[in-house]
Structures are given as C-alpha cells and as structure tokens.
Amino acid sequence: MTAINEKQTAKNWHSMNGEEVLNHFETDIDKGLTNDEANERINKFGKNVLPAGKKRGAFIRFISQFHNVLIYVLLAAAVITALMDHWIDTWVILAVVMINSIIGYIQEGKAEKALDSIRNMLSLEAIVVRNGQNETINAEELVPGDIVLLKSGDKIPADIRLIESKDLRVEESPLTGESTSVEKSIEAVDEKAIIGDRLSMAFSGTVITYGKATGVVIATGAATELGKINEMMSNVEAITTPLLQQIEKFGKWLSFAILGLTGLFFAFGYFFRDYSIDELFLAAIGIVVASIPEGLPAIMTITLAIGVQRMASRKAIIRRLPSVETLGAVNVICSDKTGTLTRNEMTAKVIVTADKDYTVEGTGYEPKGDILHNEKPVNLKEEKALWQLLQTIRVCNNAQVRHSDEGEWELVGAPTEGALVTLSYKAGLKDFKPERIDSIPFESDHKYLATLNKVDDKRMVFMTGAPERVMDMCHKQLSENGEQDIDIAYWEKKMEEIASKGQRMLGAAFCVTHNDRNELLKEELEKRKIFLGLIGIIDPPRAEVVEAIKECKEAGVDVIMITGDHVITASAIGKELGISDGLKAISGKELEEMSDEKLREIVNDYNIYARTTPEHKLRLVTALQANGKLCAMTGDGVNDAPALKKANIGIAMGIKGTEVTKDASEMVLADDNFATIVNAIEEGRTVYDNIRKALLFILPTNGAEALVLMAAIILGIVMPITPAQILWVNMVTAITLALAISVEPMEENVMKLPPRKKGTPILGKMFIWRITFVSFLIGGLTMLVFKILYANGLDVSASRTIAVNTLVAGQLFYLFNCRRIKQPSIGKGFFKNKVSFIAAGALVLLQMFFVYVPFMNRFFDTAPIELHYWLYPLSAGIIVFFIVELEKYIFSKISK
C-alpha cells in the first residue's frame, strides 16, 4: 500500500497504459477493492466531496457593507443632523445607508451560491466492484483504486482512467466547452495532452451520452479536475469596480478637504472675527453639512438601478449593481464560442407543466439532447403531463426536420413548428404518427393549430398555439396527480418568467372526443380542453453577432474568442465573425508551455485561443488585466466560472448557462446573444456619463452653500443661510433635479468613442473647473442677493428665504446646463428627457410650500415674501444658465 498511501498526486494517468494504473493502485479489474482496503483509503484520502471552503457569517457579511468611505460620510452627516435635532433628516440618511447595505448583503449572499452549485454537480451514486461483487454505493464513498462501471446516462462520479470501453461517448462541454460529445478509448495518449484530448479519461461531473465502460478511480474530491475548478473559484478574489475605486478615492479626498476647511474657518472666526464659540460651532456644522453631498450615494444607486432596468429591457440582467458602469469602461471582451458566438436556429429551450419546469438540451434542428429537470435527465414516460405534451407537439405539427444533401439538419416548414418537432424527436417520438382525421391550420386570426387524430381506439383533439388563445379553450390542466382546474395566475407568472428570458412561447392542450367525430370546425371547438403546458423557444443570433463585433471595434473594444474547440474550427469561426484573419491562433498546448511573462507579451496580439482549459482562461484574463485591460468574460459551462469571477465583468448565458456560471457572474444575458453585450456596454457608458453629470450637478450646490457660509465668516456678517435650510436645499434638489439627471438618455456617438482609460479620475480637470466656477457663480449670486436685501432693511428671515430660493433657482437652471457636458444645452433633444421638466415643476411647488406654509416658516425660520421678490431668484437662475453656456462655448473653441 506504500505506493498509494501518499496524498493524491496529479500523475499523467492518461499517458500510462491501463495495467500500469491498476498496478499503481493495487487493484484488480474483476475483484476491485475489499471493504477493508476501501475503508483504509477513505481515512487516508477523505470522502469524494468538494471542500466547502470558508464562509463569512451573515452578521460579518452585513457589517462589511458599511465599510465604505461614502457610507462613513453619510453616517457622519446623520450624527451631525441628530446633534442639531433635525431627526427627520437623520432618519432619511440612515434609511439610505440601510437600503444600500441590505442590497449589497443580498447580492453577496447570492454570489456565495457559486461553490454550492459546483458541489451539486457531483454524482449521487456509483456502481463499483467491491470484494468481487457489483455494488451500488454513495458516490461520496468512492476512493482511488475503486473499479467503477459506467453506462449511458450516468453522471461520472470521480476522475476515472478507462480500462474497458464499448462505444463510449461523453458530454464534456461543462468542463471543456467543447460543443459535441467526445468519443473515448482506452489507449494511452500523449503526456502533454490537454483535458479535452485525454480520450482515455472520464472526468467527474461530465455525462455519458452513449455506450458503456469500466474504469479505475484515479482522483476524488478536491483532486479531480472539477475540484481544481472549485479551488480556483475559492482562490479568485472579486475585483472592485472602477467606479467604486474612484468614488472611494473621491470620498477620502472630500472628507479630508471638508475637515481641513472647516477647521481653518473655525480658527479664522475665532482669532480674527468677533464670533462666540456657539456661533462658530454652529457655523462649522453648517459648513460640514453644506459640504457633504448626502444625496450622492442615493442618486448613484438610483442611476445604477435605472441602468439595470434599461439593460434588462435589452435582455442583459445585472446581478451586482456597481457592475453597470464597469461595462462602459470595458476594452476587451473574452467570449466563449459555444452557445455564444456560433450559428443557431429556432430551438425549444424550456417546458413548463403544472408541476415542473424543464430545460431542453441541444441547439438547432438536430434532434439530439435530453430533457432535464433540476439539471438531471428525466424518464419521460414517468412524467405524465410532460409525456402528453410531447405527444401533442409531435402530432399537432406540419413541419419536418431532415438531413440535407450536405449532411446538415434542415427544416421543412414553419420555424416555430420546426422547434417543436425537433423537441418531440429528442423525446424519441419520431415514429409516433397516429392517423390524422382532420385539422385546422394555424392562422394569424385564431393563433392556433388543431388536429383530430385517432390514437389507439380513441379520437383526440390536439392543439398548439399562442398560450393565451389555447388557455381560453381550456377548463382543466394536467398535473402529475391528474386533471385539475386551470390556474391562470400560475401560467401568467410562468409566461412572464419565460418572456423575461427573451423567449417566445407556445401553449399545448388536448382532449378526448367522441369516437364518431370526423371533422374540426373553429366554431365547434368547445372550451373543454386540458391545458398541458408552455414551451419557450428562441432563435439565438448569428448575423447580429457579426454586426455587434463590428460595433465593438468602432467603440475601441477588442473581442477575443476562447474556446475548447479545435484550432481549425475556432480560426474559421473567428474569421467568419470578423474577430480575426483566421491565420493567427494559439492552442492550449502552446499556452501550457508559456511563462506568465511571455503570455503577457503575446496576449494583445492574438484574438483566438483554442483547446483551452479552465486554467488557461483564468491565465488569459489575468494577463490581460496585468496589461492594464478592463476585461469582460462570457461563458456558459462550469469551466468558465473561475475566469468569470476573475474578470472585471463576468457575463453568463441565461438560457444555456449553468447555475455555477450565473452565480459567478456580474451579468446574465437573458437571450444568450453576444450582441446584447454591446447594448449593455452602450448603457454602461450612459450610466457612467449620468453619474458624472450627477456629480457635476450636485457638488456645485454643496460648494455654493459652503462658500456662502465661508464668505459670511470672512466678512463677519450674519449667516445668509442656516444649517436647516442647507439640508432642505440638499434634500429637495437631490429628490427632484438630481433624479432627472439619472434618467438622461445617452448622448450621440457614445459608441464611437474609445473606452475611458484605466485610472482616469471621475472628476477631470474640466469637471473640477466647472464645479469650482459654478460654485462661485451660484454662491456669489446668493451672497449678493442676501447682502443687497439685508442692507436695504429687509428682515433676516425674509432675506434668508430669498437667498435660499436664489440658491435653488441657480441649481434649477444649472440642471439644463448639465444635461450636455460639452455641447450646447438648447438644441436637438432638449425636450427628450421629460422627467427634467416634471422635476423642475415639482421643485417649484416644494419651494412654494417652503415659503408660504406657516409651519415650514417656523421649522426653517423662513418668511412669506411678496411676488416681486421672486425676480431675484429668477434673474439669478437665468444668469447662471447663460454664463455656463457661454463658458461651454469658449471652452469648445479653445479645445478645437
């Protein structure tokens, strides 16, 4: 036993002959291990399970959501407002903090399911030879040296060296990304062969599609290839988004700046002006409150959430909110080939019955693939409703799929019916052809196809069509427990779920009719049918991908194809899609021999990588990031999960993608369409622009308020605005005007510009200039209005009221400047964002409330003002708008 008493080691089992492997593990093909040997080895190597890894507790995960500079600034604002007895503002700020933290906590919890999903891929049982007898054991009890018997349909329970094999084919796409099942043999292969070429091996988590075999277990648990992926995912650290990095830097800078300025002006007032300590303390609090943009995190969250909604409407589902804007900075997309870039045809992907949701394997019109429930093949005849549905779509169909002269599967008939007939062929119903007596063909006015057939000694009506139309003609639904009243709410919910994946839907129904019925008439189709379920179908892209890749190039985004397929196939598809010239490609074997330094040198020169393993994908992403690239990675198989997690943006396929890849990703494509990524990049750039516009809009409010208070301290005059009034201005402008910025549509030519460079500050020189300029402009006008009115004998409450409205009016007109950062604001598209005008109207009403409602006067120390005093704020607002437009014009001329 000395040879195997050591820790499981990665030997080149694939290049050793079967007898050598058996000798190494001291086992016999006919007798297997004894129970004693198996027990000894399980104590030595452990159970055949993947390690769970360390998880942070729920409380620690929740507390960690508060570890953010902006959250600290917000909490400081909450403390300050509490000290000032403005409890409403305190609770509002704390509510924003809690909502942000709860969202982050929930999303992080979902992400931690990724490792659990991989563990669930392991086989539950295995047939082994123990003590010379065949036994069925729990797969967890397998040990190196066990002899395992495999047959078609089995999920392979451990990594196995094949000893005997008959017509064995294995579906390895979850591990290698290869699109077709692999024919296995028992012959040793080259020592340097990559996983996809190790034909003498069968790997844990893959599925046997045909044939049978006997093999010896060479690795279990964490030592399997699947276990290595699990370990890679455990070791890959999530990368923070560029926006979060920039906001964190900005938050730190802002915090120090606020504290420094406040201390400076406190000292100036104490030593050079005749203020009391109480007055100075109140002024200092006012400066801090004025300077903190407490509405910013909420506006950022709202802007990101609106971006998520826009992307969802374009079939891109964002799982982690900050990832929205990262898409705008992406400058390279690494895409898996299978199911993402390749040509596809109308395909049934989902079946929903009254009891279960099923997924369907296979793509296009080739009738090959299993019907799965919970990722496991089902025994179709035991699934009552499913089996009846499959029979219905086979019979109620006028299409055919057949081999063309070129050997490809082709459709004769309507694409929708082609998807259904292919599905029925997958269920083994190709020869199920009961006599058709009559039919009603599908037409757009009635939206269904119905047939009358003789099945055994019964006559039956079958129907497929638009789900709503078919359900209208049903009074019952079929479940595993028999017929029951139709549950419309359930089906509507399921229809929404299917529609959210970008899939079209068909419904199916049937009924047994009287034996002397010989014809079908539309007016006689009574509402007595039994609803069977829904079928979701899609037509995955091909032509759109070519156009999408062209758009990527125009937007400065490189596309790299990383696939498990052969170099020749990958190169041909790469050339067809416009990714490469078809001449330059690198194989996994070549990658294996490259150092990390050499890979960094060549990674920018090649766009096609073939016969890759999970480790290669991870290395490629790491090399691109080391070269300063912001990388998006698409994938659908388990093999893609570590690279998805490592990438700046992991993109999973919503239809074909496994739960593992979805859980490891930041974005899920509901339609598995590469072109959707381009749409998402477009939206990501728009979201980033809108966040910058929000900063450009919000910060001058804080700057103007702080400048007014600082000017008052320098001049030694009464404060033109109070801390409570400052909070009012910040609150109403954030919930109205800043919200309007967050829904601003994208600017023209957003996809004609290159991605922003890594490390580009969120506030460039131009932004800092604009914020400073507008802060002085609005602050100066506010101070000027207050000084004129107060000097002319208007009481302090009324003067402050007009000063506050001057500040608000400046912000209101400045909103329209911010809608276009460099271009003139008045022009094409000025009225496109209707929310901005609604927000302006809401702000005017709130200010009327602020000025004329008695309890608001008492609470905020304001006073009702006569109508002519509104000319001051109005004039100030108009001045702000035209001066900023003039500044834009001058800068555009200088830049040209």
Side-chain angles (χ1 to χ4, degrees), residues 781 785 806 809 813 870-882:
L781 287 169
V785 167
T806 302
F813 281 84
W870 284 100
L871 289 173
Y872 289 96
L874 181 62
S875 302
I878 292 170
I879 289 168
V880 168
F881 180 79
F882 282 106

Side-chain angles (χ1 to χ4, degrees), residues 446-449 463-475 486 506-510 527 529-534:
H446 57 255
K447 296 182 180 178
Y448 64 77
L449 167 65
M463 178 181 286
T464 59
E468 303 88 346
R469 190 71 186 92
V470 175
M471 277 191 273
D472 281 345
M473 307 186 76
C474 296
H475 72 304
I486 190 165
L506 288 171
F510 85 111
K527 187 176 178 177
K529 288 170 191 58
I530 301 163
F531 193 72
L532 295 168
L534 300 168

Side-chain angles (χ1 to χ4, degrees), residues 118 121 159 172-178 193-198 203-204 206 224-234 236 334 336 562-565 587-589 591-592 596 599 609-623 633-647 660-661:
I118 286 188
M121 287 190 64
D159 282 3
E172 293 185 333
S173 62
L175 192 64
T176 65
E178 193 160 352
I194 62 169
I195 290 174
D197 293 332
R198 295 176 188 175
F203 297 105
S204 177
T206 59
T224 64
E225 294 299 327
L226 193 64
K228 292 173 187 175
I229 293 175
N230 183 73
E231 185 179 357
M232 280 193 286
M233 284 195 65
S234 301
V236 170
C334 297
D336 190 38
I562 306 173
T563 177
D565 251 336
S587 70
K589 194 172 181 180
L591 286 175
E592 202 76 49
D596 290 342
L599 183 56
Y609 297 88
R611 303 303 281 164
T612 55
T613 66
E615 291 92 339
H616 297 153
K617 293 183 180 187
L618 192 56
R619 283 186 68 203
L620 284 165
V621 171
T622 304
M633 170 78 187
T634 75
D636 54 16
V638 179
N639 58 320
D640 301 319
L644 259 64
K645 191 174 178 184
K646 174 68 176 172
V660 179
T661 50

Side-chain angles (χ1 to χ4, degrees), residues 777-791:
L777 180 59
I778 296 175
L781 287 169
T782 302
M783 191 73 189
L784 181 65
V785 167
F786 176 81
K787 210 161 182 293
I788 290 171
L789 294 172
Y790 190 56

Side-chain angles (χ1 to χ4, degrees), residues 13-87:
W13 309 109
H14 53 279
S15 63
M16 297 166 61
N17 65 49
E19 199 61 39
E20 277 184 274
V21 178
L22 290 171
N23 290 337
H24 175 87
F25 286 104
E26 300 178 5
T27 189
D28 183 272
I29 190 73
D30 298 314
K31 296 178 181 178
L33 301 175
T34 65
N35 288 336
D36 289 341
E37 287 172 329
N39 289 334
E40 186 179 338
R41 293 184 190 193
I42 207 164
N43 291 331
K44 200 74 180 173
F45 301 124
K47 290 194 172 185
N48 180 30
V49 292
L50 298 180
K54 294 179 181 178
K55 283 189 179 182
R56 293 189 299 171
F59 178 74
I60 298 298
R61 280 208 346 258
F62 181 71
I63 291 297
S64 69
Q65 306 304 319
F66 294 87
H67 183 53
N68 180 295
V69 173
L70 265 181
I71 296 297
Y72 297 153
V73 174
L74 270 181
L75 291 172
V79 170
I80 291 165
T81 52
L83 291 171
M84 295 169 61
D85 285 335
H86 292 295
W87 292 104

